[in-house]
Amino acid sequence: MIKTGNLKKVYRTDEVETTALNNVNLEIEAGEFVSVMGPSGCGKSTLLNILGLLDNPSDGTYEFNGNEVAKLSERQRAQFRKGNIGFVFQSFNLIDELTVYENVELPLLYLGTSTAERKERVEAALERTSIIHRKDHFPQQLSGGQQQRVAVARAVVASPKLILADEPTGNLDSTNGEEVMKLLTELNEAGTTIVMVTHSPADAEYSHRIIHLFDGHVVTENYMAKKYAHTPQAPD
Amino acid sequence: MLKNYVKIALRNVQRYKGFSLINVIGLALSMAVCLLIILFIRDQKSYDNFHTDGDRMYRIYADYKAPSNRDNRLYAYSPVPLAEILRTETPGIESVIQIRQGFTANVNHRGNSLRLYGFYAEPSFFDFFSFDLTRGNARTALTTPNSVVISTETATRFFGEADPLGQVLTLDEQGDFTITGVLAPQTHPTHLPLDAITSMATLTPASQTHANQADWTWGIAHNYTYVLLEEGATPEMLEARLPGIIKQHFKPLEHSVLHTLRVQAISDINLATFKGNELGLVLPNFVAYFLLGLASVLMLVACFNYMNLTVARALKRAREVGVRKVVGARRSQIVFQFLVETLLVTFLSLALALVLLEWLLPAFNSLWLISFSKTAISVDFAGDAGLYLVLFGFTGFIALAAGLYPAFYLSRFQPATVVKGQSALRRRSGLTIRRGLTVTQLALSLIFMISTMLLYRQSAFMLKADYGFEAEHVINVNLQGVPYDVFRTAAVASPSVAAVSATSYLPGSGTREGIWLGREGMDKPIKGYEYAIDEHLIDNLGLTLLAGRNFSMDFSTDEDRAVILNETALRDLDLGAPREAIGRTITVDDQTEAEVIGVVADFQSNVIVLDVSPVALTYTPDHFFYANVRIHPGDSERALADLEAIWKTFNRPQSLDWGLYTVQLRNSPEMLIFGDFLRIIGLIAGLAIFIACLGLLAMATYSAQIRTKEVGIRKVMGAGVWNVTLLLSREFMALLLVAVVLAVPLAWLLNNAWLEQFANRIDFGAGTLAAGVAAVAVLALVTTCSQTIRAALVNPVESLRYE
């Protein structure tokens, strides 16, 4: 599903040049649950942004479902993201002025989905994340865990093939964090590919594979014990 | 999607009430003023757009050097014989009509007195123009001499419900006129004065005076030519033929050169380039440009406020933009969303602006220029569908003007940056643009403040100006045909009257008669003004006789062949010192020779805005139109009662027409127009400064909010309230300084440009500039410090917890 070749990202200011990613070669198959770990500043979020088509790499190739997407314009990236990629952020990134229902509805609005179908899919997503009872509330009226469940509902409402989660439990207590991880696991079991950036070894254990980054390089890749029947096999 | 945009816009307005209120108030105030000006100009633009075939109707006007001018100027009139030539020799014209000025007179009928403004017209007038008659036959109404068609208003005034047809009206100095028609009430505005229209046949050789109908030189100054082009003919085709007609028929004289004739659409007569001798009251386009310019500047200040505050709040909105982009929004959709939001704010502002407009309208209509020209405007929500187009169109335009930049600015945030959090965005909150907008606002405020101060100073200066004569305690009586000597004899006998003198026009009030003064040996005569006075005026008004003598009954030649000059006339005629001029002979209007018998010190014969002109005082009893009655101080009520009683003894149909000289000097058209300008600019300046202060207040509030953490840390590190206040105010002070550097030279140039038009003007120096800067600086600092001090007083524990 995802294949990167010598992926590189360099940030330049007037005086400083920082290499965030340096020749990252990565392959992720459909249905995988991959965790990306590493110390702060190692390039985890940069990698996630590039994989999520929020940003372009400075160099290298990036194939998404067989399409080369490394050099797409902002407009093309936005078009590609729609319906293909869902995002879950550490800080939830819900729009304060919209209700839970409206926040979840947003991706469908931009997809041009009909009103009736929107209603059906939003309610299904909210049911799936067990937050339907709060659909008319505003984000500020919810706990952190509830907000992250809304964010997950928003990420899945358009049935994307890939969900990118950037420290999804980083702002949550352990109970709420566990609930969110279970939710992501359920989504993965249902066939959605998940790439998650995390600092938490406990959260990483939910995934099939852990990629360790350091100074912009992939330093190790560890395959976890096979938890799920459909999960791709680790190479011998 | 639109519903989602509106919803989020409404919730944003509700959530950030303070900012929204500042935006709405700022936009509403400026929109109210702009709408007022737009409605006024719209009304003015609607003049003469109701005539059938109006799209083929044109007026021919002249680019002409009249005897009273040094250079060519545009005049609304055209030569008398032109009509016949156009009818007989020029192709492409369906019909031609001429009307003629000069039919303006007082009418007294059964105790009702009214001044009528009208004109002479050819019989086909009602075929040509789309004016309907409620009484009379349009085809015959203007065929016979001394027939008159009057307006419904005039008919009602004189005859009430009775039928006016066939009744006779007596016009002062014009004679008796039989009413042959009554115009339907005029619901559409026109440039023609329609109180009364008389037939061209009324004109006799005597009433035409020096304007011979067949004369291509002098005759030009009285007639107005209108043409109806044939279908398919263009005004350009007609205009191309006019130079040939001039060449063939017009014989230029020394003081009379017809440069060219031009063509203008009838609906373009109002709000066109200024032309001399318009028949009715026509507003020149520069008035519209001036008003639109001022309103636009005010609108700009409000739009800057909106842009500034919206861009400043980018930090708060950036995350939303990022999230929308992450979930699939295109940039154009984000731009559209923010435009919808601006549209909502501008429509809220429109609602408030309409309330303010109701309050502004009476004040605007009470301006002298508006009431004098009878161009009062009103807002008719029920019967004017076009009004909605104006309101919505204008609001949409303002939404685009105010909202486009913030929409593009906010929509350009990259989701990858935004989702990282606020710290990544702090350096990108449009600081340069915001600084630019704030500096522009402050600079405009400074220019407005300095200009308004100068206008008020100039106004006060003119009101207290020394005219060079004593107008206090003088009542001027318009003699209206009463012989001056009879009036004087009766008036001086009154115990409340101290002195009485006579004059043809009232010096300093704006009325005057031009003459050409010359002397032997001079190449060209000089332009001057003549006042016919009696032998009492110099003493009565306190003019200073520098040399020679006053007029006297002892000299029989004083009436025809004597003149008293002022110092300026003496200088321009190069007659030497006052004593040397006595006994010299000058020419008046190239014809009459007169001996200089006296010289008076210069006095303000023109209105105060103009310079002192050469003045010739003559003794011409036929021209004693006004009596200057000096009354004993404190006795004005009794004096007026005495004058009323005296007037009644003359048994005239007209009532006593009097005015206090000091009031008349204040109420000259130039002074009244200046007063109008002062009120308009004062209002717009006040609003612009207020809106700019609102913007500053919001910016200071916002600036304090986003620096809460910094303030907390600095206070923990030992900074005091004063240090923090200074820190937060420093940027505003720097911006103010930049604005001062930019605005002061501009204000100096702009204000000197208009001040130079005033012959009598105040000194514009560093004092006013400093006062203007100080006033704006105090306002700006009070506004910003109200927020910075509040931020500085917050307990650092609170600040850090909040962050």
Side-chain angles (χ1 to χ4, degrees), chain B residues 58-59 95-97 99 128-129 191-192 224-227 269:
Chain B
Y58 293 87
R59 182 175 75 173
S95 59
V96 181
I97 190 164
I99 59 180
F128 192 94
F129 294 108
H191 73 288
L192 295 169
Y224 303 83
T225 311
Y226 297 83
V227 297
I269 289 175

Side-chain angles (χ1 to χ4, degrees), chain B residues 686-701:
Chain B
L687 289 179
I689 294 166
F690 176 68
I691 293 169
C693 281
L694 277 183
L696 271 183
L697 180 73
M699 291 303 294
T701 310

Side-chain angles (χ1 to χ4, degrees), chain A residues 74 81 94 97 102 110, chain B residues 7 11 15 324-325:
Chain A
E74 191 198 337
R81 278 199 302 270
L94 298 174
E97 286 73 26
E102 289 160 353
Y110 289 116
Chain B
K7 205 182 289 175
R11 287 175 190 165
R15 187 167 173 194
R324 282 181 183 273
K325 281 192 171 183

